[in-house]
Amino acid sequence: AQSVAQPEDQVKVAEGNPLTVKCTYSVSGNPYLFWYVQYPNRGLQFLLKYITGDNLVKGSYGFEAEFNKSQTSFHLKKPSALVSDSALYFCAVRGNTGKLIFGQGTTLQVKP
Amino acid sequence: DTGVSQNPRHKITKRGQNVTFRCDPISEHNRLYWYRQTLGQGPEFLTYFQNEAQLEKSRLLSDRFSAERPKGSFSTLEIQRTEQGDSAMYLCASRPRQGAGTSSTGELFFGEGSRLTVL
């Protein structure tokens, strides 16, 4: 069965510093991987996805993610964090029927 | 606005009452998904429609829950005899058919959610 794990409940960084939010996956076959962001009392907004091709994927709002097959990871990164990036981040893997299977989420706190 | 629309955004009800949520997907999207999200957790899959056909139901979807998509457009999620444990955010998402001639690469487009509080 497909699954993702987000090992950190919370990540804290200072504004202007690089950030990393970690995600590992478990799938049979080739993974389709996604990152979403959620602001309080809002739905999920799509950030980026890995389907095939380059291991470094670029997405919205300056975010990128690195797919690493040997480590079964898909970590979300940003070179310079903004206070407005503070939110809840979810990693997801595509399951059968196209549904997405989400991790538990990581709260990102960017301090001024 | 051409995004996924959910109504109502908030619903407070007493235990034992029935509630219904509506989802209007993006118009050309034939696939529709319902998820439930409780505080501090990731969204959990409930059910999936392709056009009007309900093709998959999670074990989370007890017999008090029913979902329909009668004409392959909007969908409703009804919860009968609500319990306090049903308090959650109910999220709807849609996506277009994948394959040749489409631009879809698998991401789901989510609505803003319907928050249910059962007293």
Side-chain angles (χ1 to χ4, degrees):
Chain A
Q2 295 95 332
S3 66
V4 292
Q6 295 180 242
E8 303 156 316
D9 289 337
Q10 188 172 47
V11 169
K12 295 181 181 180
V13 299
E15 188 174 31
N17 283 1
L19 68 89
T20 299
V21 183
K22 295 180 180 179
C23 173
T24 59
Y25 66 89
S26 174
V27 301
S28 54
N30 294 321
Y32 286 21
L33 297 161
F34 303 80
W35 276 101
Y36 282 80
V37 61
Q38 186 177 36
Y39 296 97
N41 296 311
R42 304 296 296 275
L44 277 70
Q45 297 178 31
F46 169 73
L47 281 178
L48 51 79
K49 62 181 179 282
Y50 173 82
I51 305 299
T52 187
D54 290 341
N55 289 341
L56 186 64
V57 178
K58 294 189 182 298
S60 305
Y61 312 119
F63 284 93
E64 57 190 28
E66 186 171 11
F67 172 69
N68 188 315
K69 188 172 184 177
S70 63
Q71 297 185 1
T72 62
S73 66
F74 188 56
H75 299 332
L76 182 70
K77 300 182 179 185
K78 187 172 183 180
S80 178
L82 299 172
V83 172
S84 58
D85 293 330
S86 299
L88 186 55
Y89 290 81
F90 290 100
C91 180
V93 63
R94 196 178 84 168
N96 54 357
T97 69
K99 66 176 181 281
L100 296 187
I101 300 161
F102 289 89
Q104 294 291 86
T106 299
T107 299
L108 173 65
Q109 185 177 3
V110 182
K111 296 185 175 180
Chain B
D1 182 18
T2 57
V4 177
S5 177
Q6 292 189 245
N7 289 288
R9 291 290 312 280
H10 304 276
K11 179 71 176 178
I12 300 173
T13 190
K14 293 182 179 179
R15 187 165 51 115
Q17 298 295 304
N18 298 344
V19 296
T20 299
F21 300 114
R22 175 179 170 127
C23 173
D24 288 88
I26 295 171
S27 59
E28 63 269 26
H29 289 188
N30 68 333
R31 300 189 179 203
L32 187 146
Y33 301 79
W34 284 99
Y35 284 80
R36 181 175 70 186
Q37 184 181 22
T38 52
L39 199 61
Q41 302 295 315
E44 298 172 295
F45 170 78
L46 292 178
T47 190
Y48 152 66
F49 289 86
Q50 182 171 312
N51 300 313
E52 67 275 9
Q54 188 175 21
L55 297 184
E56 185 178 356
K57 293 193 289 187
S58 161
R59 284 173 290 180
L60 292 174
L61 211 65
S62 76
D63 55 7
R64 294 184 299 106
F65 287 70
S66 62
E68 295 182 341
R69 194 182 183 198
K71 297 183 179 180
S73 56
F74 72 91
S75 176
T76 57
L77 177 68
E78 181 182 17
I79 309 173
Q80 296 182 326
R81 305 181 303 281
T82 52
E83 302 173 356
Q84 288 182 327
D86 297 331
S87 296
M89 175 81 90
Y90 290 86
L91 295 165
C92 177
S94 68
R95 73 174 179 92
R97 176 180 60 87
Q98 284 187 256
T102 74
S103 60
S104 172
T105 51
E107 66 266 30
L108 301 186
F109 296 79
F110 281 84
E112 296 290 351
S114 293
R115 180 168 295 284
L116 173 65
T117 301
V118 182
L119 301 176

mmCIF file of all heavy atoms in Angstrom, chain B residues 25-45:
data_model
loop_
_atom_site.group_PDB
_atom_site.id
_atom_site.type_symbol
_atom_site.label_atom_id
_atom_site.label_comp_id
_atom_site.label_asym_id
_atom_site.label_seq_id
_atom_site.Cartn_x
_atom_site.Cartn_y
_atom_site.Cartn_z
ATOM 1 N N PRO B 25 -17.730 20.977 -8.376
ATOM 2 C CA PRO B 25 -16.349 20.881 -8.878
ATOM 3 C C PRO B 25 -16.115 21.855 -10.026
ATOM 4 O O PRO B 25 -17.050 22.511 -10.507
ATOM 5 C CB PRO B 25 -16.275 19.439 -9.372
ATOM 6 C CG PRO B 25 -17.670 19.150 -9.823
ATOM 7 C CD PRO B 25 -18.560 19.885 -8.853
ATOM 8 N N ILE B 26 -14.893 21.933 -10.467
ATOM 9 C CA ILE B 26 -14.556 22.691 -11.671
ATOM 10 C C ILE B 26 -15.283 22.019 -12.835
ATOM 11 O O ILE B 26 -15.318 20.787 -12.935
ATOM 12 C CB ILE B 26 -13.035 22.724 -11.877
ATOM 13 C CG1 ILE B 26 -12.404 23.510 -10.727
ATOM 14 C CG2 ILE B 26 -12.670 23.330 -13.225
ATOM 15 C CD1 ILE B 26 -10.896 23.451 -10.665
ATOM 16 N N SER B 27 -15.886 22.811 -13.702
ATOM 17 C CA SER B 27 -16.906 22.308 -14.622
ATOM 18 C C SER B 27 -16.432 21.175 -15.541
ATOM 19 O O SER B 27 -17.166 20.244 -15.794
ATOM 20 C CB SER B 27 -17.483 23.443 -15.458
ATOM 21 O OG SER B 27 -16.449 24.068 -16.203
ATOM 22 N N GLU B 28 -15.217 21.195 -15.997
ATOM 23 C CA GLU B 28 -14.803 20.145 -16.931
ATOM 24 C C GLU B 28 -14.176 18.939 -16.243
ATOM 25 O O GLU B 28 -13.704 18.014 -16.892
ATOM 26 C CB GLU B 28 -13.811 20.719 -17.960
ATOM 27 C CG GLU B 28 -12.516 21.216 -17.358
ATOM 28 C CD GLU B 28 -12.553 22.687 -16.986
ATOM 29 O OE1 GLU B 28 -13.645 23.211 -16.726
ATOM 30 O OE2 GLU B 28 -11.473 23.304 -16.939
ATOM 31 N N HIS B 29 -14.195 18.938 -14.909
ATOM 32 C CA HIS B 29 -13.585 17.845 -14.164
ATOM 33 C C HIS B 29 -14.581 16.711 -13.964
ATOM 34 O O HIS B 29 -15.640 16.903 -13.382
ATOM 35 C CB HIS B 29 -13.091 18.329 -12.804
ATOM 36 C CG HIS B 29 -11.901 19.215 -12.890
ATOM 37 N ND1 HIS B 29 -11.213 19.633 -11.770
ATOM 38 C CD2 HIS B 29 -11.244 19.748 -13.947
ATOM 39 C CE1 HIS B 29 -10.190 20.389 -12.147
ATOM 40 N NE2 HIS B 29 -10.199 20.478 -13.459
ATOM 41 N N ASN B 30 -14.201 15.506 -14.418
ATOM 42 C CA ASN B 30 -15.148 14.401 -14.288
ATOM 43 C C ASN B 30 -14.907 13.580 -13.020
ATOM 44 O O ASN B 30 -15.712 12.731 -12.670
ATOM 45 C CB ASN B 30 -15.085 13.493 -15.522
ATOM 46 C CG ASN B 30 -13.777 12.732 -15.629
ATOM 47 O OD1 ASN B 30 -12.741 13.168 -15.148
ATOM 48 N ND2 ASN B 30 -13.825 11.557 -16.259
ATOM 49 N N ARG B 31 -13.800 13.846 -12.321
ATOM 50 C CA ARG B 31 -13.493 13.063 -11.119
ATOM 51 C C ARG B 31 -13.640 13.952 -9.884
ATOM 52 O O ARG B 31 -13.144 15.080 -9.860
ATOM 53 C CB ARG B 31 -12.092 12.488 -11.201
ATOM 54 C CG ARG B 31 -11.963 11.580 -12.415
ATOM 55 C CD ARG B 31 -10.692 10.813 -12.458
ATOM 56 N NE ARG B 31 -10.660 9.959 -13.637
ATOM 57 C CZ ARG B 31 -9.936 8.877 -13.758
ATOM 58 N NH1 ARG B 31 -9.181 8.492 -12.747
ATOM 59 N NH2 ARG B 31 -9.970 8.166 -14.857
ATOM 60 N N LEU B 32 -14.290 13.396 -8.865
ATOM 61 C CA LEU B 32 -14.583 14.165 -7.660
ATOM 62 C C LEU B 32 -14.272 13.311 -6.448
ATOM 63 O O LEU B 32 -14.619 12.126 -6.411
ATOM 64 C CB LEU B 32 -16.058 14.599 -7.656
ATOM 65 C CG LEU B 32 -16.517 15.539 -6.561
ATOM 66 C CD1 LEU B 32 -17.599 16.478 -7.080
ATOM 67 C CD2 LEU B 32 -16.998 14.802 -5.323
ATOM 68 N N TYR B 33 -13.627 13.913 -5.458
ATOM 69 C CA TYR B 33 -13.175 13.204 -4.260
ATOM 70 C C TYR B 33 -13.671 13.934 -3.012
ATOM 71 O O TYR B 33 -13.680 15.166 -2.971
ATOM 72 C CB TYR B 33 -11.640 13.166 -4.207
ATOM 73 C CG TYR B 33 -10.988 12.503 -5.394
ATOM 74 C CD1 TYR B 33 -10.839 13.183 -6.598
ATOM 75 C CD2 TYR B 33 -10.497 11.202 -5.315
ATOM 76 C CE1 TYR B 33 -10.230 12.577 -7.699
ATOM 77 C CE2 TYR B 33 -9.894 10.595 -6.399
ATOM 78 C CZ TYR B 33 -9.764 11.289 -7.587
ATOM 79 O OH TYR B 33 -9.168 10.688 -8.669
ATOM 80 N N TRP B 34 -14.033 13.161 -2.001
ATOM 81 C CA TRP B 34 -14.321 13.716 -0.678
ATOM 82 C C TRP B 34 -13.258 13.225 0.303
ATOM 83 O O TRP B 34 -12.878 12.043 0.302
ATOM 84 C CB TRP B 34 -15.690 13.261 -0.181
ATOM 85 C CG TRP B 34 -16.860 13.957 -0.806
ATOM 86 C CD1 TRP B 34 -17.653 13.509 -1.821
ATOM 87 C CD2 TRP B 34 -17.401 15.230 -0.436
ATOM 88 N NE1 TRP B 34 -18.635 14.422 -2.110
ATOM 89 C CE2 TRP B 34 -18.511 15.484 -1.267
ATOM 90 C CE3 TRP B 34 -17.056 16.189 0.527
ATOM 91 C CZ2 TRP B 34 -19.268 16.651 -1.177
ATOM 92 C CZ3 TRP B 34 -17.808 17.344 0.619
ATOM 93 C CH2 TRP B 34 -18.903 17.567 -0.220
ATOM 94 N N TYR B 35 -12.826 14.159 1.156
ATOM 95 C CA TYR B 35 -11.864 13.863 2.213
ATOM 96 C C TYR B 35 -12.398 14.409 3.538
ATOM 97 O O TYR B 35 -13.199 15.346 3.571
ATOM 98 C CB TYR B 35 -10.514 14.540 1.938
ATOM 99 C CG TYR B 35 -9.665 13.889 0.880
ATOM 100 C CD1 TYR B 35 -9.900 14.109 -0.471
ATOM 101 C CD2 TYR B 35 -8.605 13.043 1.233
ATOM 102 C CE1 TYR B 35 -9.106 13.513 -1.443
ATOM 103 C CE2 TYR B 35 -7.800 12.453 0.286
ATOM 104 C CZ TYR B 35 -8.060 12.695 -1.062
ATOM 105 O OH TYR B 35 -7.268 12.097 -2.016
ATOM 106 N N ARG B 36 -11.899 13.849 4.632
ATOM 107 C CA ARG B 36 -12.178 14.386 5.968
ATOM 108 C C ARG B 36 -10.841 14.724 6.621
ATOM 109 O O ARG B 36 -9.866 13.956 6.517
ATOM 110 C CB ARG B 36 -12.918 13.347 6.818
ATOM 111 C CG ARG B 36 -13.258 13.844 8.212
ATOM 112 C CD ARG B 36 -14.080 12.825 8.963
ATOM 113 N NE ARG B 36 -13.316 11.647 9.319
ATOM 114 C CZ ARG B 36 -13.840 10.561 9.889
ATOM 115 N NH1 ARG B 36 -15.141 10.530 10.141
ATOM 116 N NH2 ARG B 36 -13.085 9.543 10.195
ATOM 117 N N GLN B 37 -10.833 15.870 7.284
ATOM 118 C CA GLN B 37 -9.616 16.301 7.964
ATOM 119 C C GLN B 37 -9.957 16.726 9.387
ATOM 120 O O GLN B 37 -10.747 17.631 9.601
ATOM 121 C CB GLN B 37 -8.951 17.465 7.224
ATOM 122 C CG GLN B 37 -7.628 17.890 7.826
ATOM 123 C CD GLN B 37 -7.002 19.061 7.089
ATOM 124 O OE1 GLN B 37 -7.675 19.813 6.398
ATOM 125 N NE2 GLN B 37 -5.683 19.215 7.229
ATOM 126 N N THR B 38 -9.361 16.058 10.354
ATOM 127 C CA THR B 38 -9.515 16.454 11.751
ATOM 128 C C THR B 38 -8.295 17.255 12.174
ATOM 129 O O THR B 38 -7.245 17.220 11.523
ATOM 130 C CB THR B 38 -9.700 15.232 12.656
ATOM 131 O OG1 THR B 38 -8.632 14.300 12.405
ATOM 132 C CG2 THR B 38 -11.020 14.542 12.366
ATOM 133 N N LEU B 39 -8.446 17.982 13.280
ATOM 134 C CA LEU B 39 -7.419 18.920 13.717
ATOM 135 C C LEU B 39 -6.074 18.220 13.911
ATOM 136 O O LEU B 39 -5.993 17.195 14.583
ATOM 137 C CB LEU B 39 -7.863 19.576 15.025
ATOM 138 C CG LEU B 39 -7.141 20.885 15.387
ATOM 139 C CD1 LEU B 39 -7.389 21.937 14.320
ATOM 140 C CD2 LEU B 39 -7.594 21.374 16.756
ATOM 141 N N GLY B 40 -5.063 18.771 13.271
ATOM 142 C CA GLY B 40 -3.716 18.229 13.430
ATOM 143 C C GLY B 40 -3.421 17.010 12.594
ATOM 144 O O GLY B 40 -2.350 16.402 12.734
ATOM 145 N N GLN B 41 -4.336 16.642 11.723
ATOM 146 C CA GLN B 41 -4.160 15.452 10.880
ATOM 147 C C GLN B 41 -4.173 15.815 9.413
ATOM 148 O O GLN B 41 -4.678 16.878 9.023
ATOM 149 C CB GLN B 41 -5.267 14.438 11.156
ATOM 150 C CG GLN B 41 -5.366 13.982 12.595
ATOM 151 C CD GLN B 41 -4.143 13.214 13.043
ATOM 152 O OE1 GLN B 41 -3.641 12.346 12.331
ATOM 153 N NE2 GLN B 41 -3.622 13.554 14.210
ATOM 154 N N GLY B 42 -3.644 14.913 8.602
ATOM 155 C CA GLY B 42 -3.752 15.090 7.171
ATOM 156 C C GLY B 42 -5.125 14.690 6.672
ATOM 157 O O GLY B 42 -5.851 13.953 7.356
ATOM 158 N N PRO B 43 -5.511 15.137 5.499
ATOM 159 C CA PRO B 43 -6.807 14.733 4.931
ATOM 160 C C PRO B 43 -6.858 13.223 4.719
ATOM 161 O O PRO B 43 -5.892 12.616 4.252
ATOM 162 C CB PRO B 43 -6.846 15.471 3.587
ATOM 163 C CG PRO B 43 -5.904 16.623 3.744
ATOM 164 C CD PRO B 43 -4.820 16.119 4.632
ATOM 165 N N GLU B 44 -8.018 12.638 5.046
ATOM 166 C CA GLU B 44 -8.225 11.203 4.874
ATOM 167 C C GLU B 44 -9.284 10.980 3.805
ATOM 168 O O GLU B 44 -10.368 11.573 3.866
ATOM 169 C CB GLU B 44 -8.686 10.567 6.189
ATOM 170 C CG GLU B 44 -7.675 10.689 7.320
ATOM 171 C CD GLU B 44 -8.272 10.227 8.626
ATOM 172 O OE1 GLU B 44 -9.226 10.884 9.110
ATOM 173 O OE2 GLU B 44 -7.805 9.204 9.168
ATOM 174 N N PHE B 45 -8.981 10.113 2.881
ATOM 175 C CA PHE B 45 -9.878 9.827 1.768
ATOM 176 C C PHE B 45 -11.159 9.190 2.250
ATOM 177 O O PHE B 45 -11.153 8.266 3.067
ATOM 178 C CB PHE B 45 -9.164 8.901 0.777
ATOM 179 C CG PHE B 45 -10.050 8.338 -0.290
ATOM 180 C CD1 PHE B 45 -10.431 9.107 -1.373
ATOM 181 C CD2 PHE B 45 -10.498 7.032 -0.211
ATOM 182 C CE1 PHE B 45 -11.241 8.586 -2.368
ATOM 183 C CE2 PHE B 45 -11.315 6.498 -1.195
ATOM 184 C CZ PHE B 45 -11.693 7.275 -2.277
#
